[in-house]
């Protein structure tokens, strides 16, 4: 496997072109990545309709990637049905993940990624990630008397195990991203899920911005997840809200993060995961600042 590579995360495309990113926006985002000096990118399909767009244009997307000299490191399949209480819906989601994994393999990626979403709770007001990434929201929930956390968790473990095996059949690894407000929102929950899924190709996206907003000590998060960190999303914030600023602009201990990654021999891709509504007016500037910072840290610690 090649050494640590700096890539552009899909949050750039979401910030600039909407959520889910339509095919036309996806193609323009690839041109943006090349213009900003990236060689590596990630792609994402949100829901079946967005997935069908990529499937229908797979040859066009791969051609554009080749023309721009870009390589895909990760294809994310974001399908909320993975955590549905309905067995039929979860079965459908596994089929969608298989199709996402087919696209990942077609584009030459090493990873397929997904999330763990929110449990089937009743939200009074905003719901996390219902439309796009919104930072600083407050949530109120009601837990249905019939809801069983243990049953829900058991279903999640079984579904992720099947998804990992689907990925393995295509020579891929499956990574899950802990995110604020979702079922797996911190490194300890991620570690528990990894242990219970029990598949060697199942691991974590270390999303520094989300974990920092969750008040984690990120070097300790790296120590916990160790060699099961397959991918890093690099962004910064103030440790309160899950903003996704350029690394170095917030309060993350980046030297500690990279020292910990070096200790565990991390050589996977590192994505510049910068964006969100607060950065729309200076998105390119923020991304270039982040790219320069991450590349300098890779050269210092992971070369």
């Amino acid at each position: 496997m090649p050494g640590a590579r700096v890539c552009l995360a899909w949050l750039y495309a979401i910030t600039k072109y909407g959520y889910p990113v339509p095919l036309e926006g996806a193609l323009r985002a690839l041109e943006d990545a090349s213009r900003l000096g990236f060689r590596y990118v990630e792609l994402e399909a949100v829901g079946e309709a967005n997935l069908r767009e990529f499937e229908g244009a797979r040859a066009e997307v791969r051609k554009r990637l080749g023309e721009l000299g870009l390589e895909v490191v990760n294809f994310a399949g974001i399908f909320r049905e993975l955590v549905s209480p309905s067995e039929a819906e979860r079965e459908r989601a596994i089929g969608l993940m298989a199709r996402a994994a087919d696209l990942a393999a077609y584009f030459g990626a090493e990873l397929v990624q997904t999330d763990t979403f929110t449990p089937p709770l009743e939200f009074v007001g905003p719901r996390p990630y219902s439309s796009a990434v919104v930072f600083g929201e407050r949530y109120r929930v009601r837990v249905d008397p019939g809801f069983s956390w243990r049953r829900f968790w058991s279903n999640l473990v079984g579904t992720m195990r099947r998804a990992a095996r689907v990925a393995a059949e295509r020579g891929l690894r499956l990574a899950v991203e802990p995110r604020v407000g979702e079922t797996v929102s911190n490194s300890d929950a991620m570690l528990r899920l990894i242990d219970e899924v029990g598949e060697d190709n199942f691991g974590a996206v270390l999303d520094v911005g989300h974990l920092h907003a969750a008040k984690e000590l990120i070097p300790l998060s790296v120590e916990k997840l160790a060699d099961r960190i397959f991918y890093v999303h690099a962004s910064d914030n103030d440790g309160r809200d899950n903003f996704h600023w350029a690394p170095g602009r917030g309060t993350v201990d980046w030297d500690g993060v990279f020292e910990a990654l070096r200790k565990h021999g991390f050589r996977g891709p590192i994505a510049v995961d910068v964006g969100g509504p607060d950065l729309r007016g200076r998105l390119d500037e923020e991304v270039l600042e982040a790219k320069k910072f991450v590349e300098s840290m890779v050269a210092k610690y992971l070369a």
Side-chain angles (χ1 to χ4, degrees):
M1 183 180 296
R5 292 140 288 156
V6 179
C7 72
L8 183 60
W10 203 238
L11 181 56
Y12 178 94
I14 292 169
T15 302
K16 196 166 182 180
Y17 300 112
Y19 184 82
V21 179
L23 179 64
E24 180 183 353
L27 293 172
R28 291 172 65 186
L30 297 181
E31 295 173 359
D32 292 330
S34 177
R35 172 177 54 80
L36 292 167
F38 288 91
R39 180 181 170 188
Y40 303 99
V41 294
E42 68 175 13
L43 301 173
E44 178 179 287
V46 180
E48 185 173 13
N50 199 211
L51 179 67
R52 282 199 303 268
E53 284 191 284
F54 274 101
E55 289 173 326
R58 60 167 56 189
E60 180 183 1
V61 173
R62 190 161 73 173
K63 181 173 182 286
R64 187 70 57 89
L65 288 163
E67 291 169 347
L68 296 170
L70 296 173
E71 298 179 34
V72 179
V73 300
N74 173 51
F75 190 94
I78 309 302
F79 310 119
R80 294 180 184 275
E81 297 91 340
L82 285 165
V83 299
S84 171
S86 164
E87 184 177 356
E89 284 291 290
R90 296 196 303 275
E91 190 69 28
R92 177 171 170 269
I94 291 296
L96 295 175
M97 283 301 299
R99 290 161 59 184
D102 286 339
L103 283 174
Y106 179 81
F107 292 131
E110 66 198 63
L111 293 168
V112 63
Q113 178 190 331
T114 196
D115 294 322
T116 58
F117 311 100
T118 52
L121 306 173
E122 179 187 351
F123 280 80
V124 182
R127 182 184 185 91
Y129 317 108
S130 58
S131 57
V133 178
V134 179
F135 305 134
E137 284 186 325
R138 297 182 179 183
Y139 304 116
R140 283 187 60 208
V141 299
R142 294 192 182 104
V143 179
D144 189 288
F147 175 73
S148 165
W149 168 257
R150 290 187 180 277
R151 182 169 60 247
F152 174 79
W153 180 263
S154 177
N155 288 338
L156 177 67
V157 169
T159 300
M160 290 298 168
R161 183 181 296 125
R162 291 187 61 197
R165 290 173 180 174
V166 162
E169 289 168 0
R170 292 154 177 82
L172 302 168
R173 298 195 291 178
L174 173 63
V176 162
E177 176 184 27
R179 302 203 302 176
V180 169
E182 294 197 330
T183 301
V184 171
S185 59
N186 56 61
S187 56
D188 290 288
M190 187 69 237
L191 187 59
R192 181 184 175 192
L193 185 61
I194 290 170
D195 288 345
E196 294 193 27
V197 166
E199 298 291 329
D200 290 342
N201 72 321
F202 183 72
V205 180
L206 183 82
D207 190 299
V208 177
H210 280 288
L211 294 178
H212 189 55
K215 303 294 189 293
E216 293 218 15
L217 301 173
I218 312 301
L220 181 58
S221 303
V222 176
E223 184 65 28
K224 291 173 182 176
L225 296 167
D227 61 355
R228 302 311 282 269
I229 298 172
F230 293 167
Y231 190 25
V232 174
H233 273 184
S235 67
D236 214 328
N237 56 52
D238 58 7
R240 185 188 68 180
D241 294 323
N242 55 330
F243 294 112
H244 280 46
W245 301 330
R249 285 196 58 222
T251 57
V252 169
D253 172 15
W254 287 102
D255 285 293
V257 172
F258 276 88
E259 285 173 351
L261 290 170
R262 179 173 61 187
K263 172 185 175 181
H264 291 284
F266 178 78
R267 288 295 182 269
I270 301 175
V272 170
D273 191 30
V274 168
D278 60 311
L279 297 183
R280 286 198 181 103
R282 61 178 195 279
L283 183 60
D284 282 7
E285 176 186 345
E286 195 88 3
V287 165
L288 288 171
E289 179 184 335
K291 181 175 181 289
K292 181 179 179 181
F293 182 94
V294 174
E295 287 174 341
S296 70
M297 298 299 279
V298 168
K300 181 178 180 180
Y301 289 103
L302 303 180

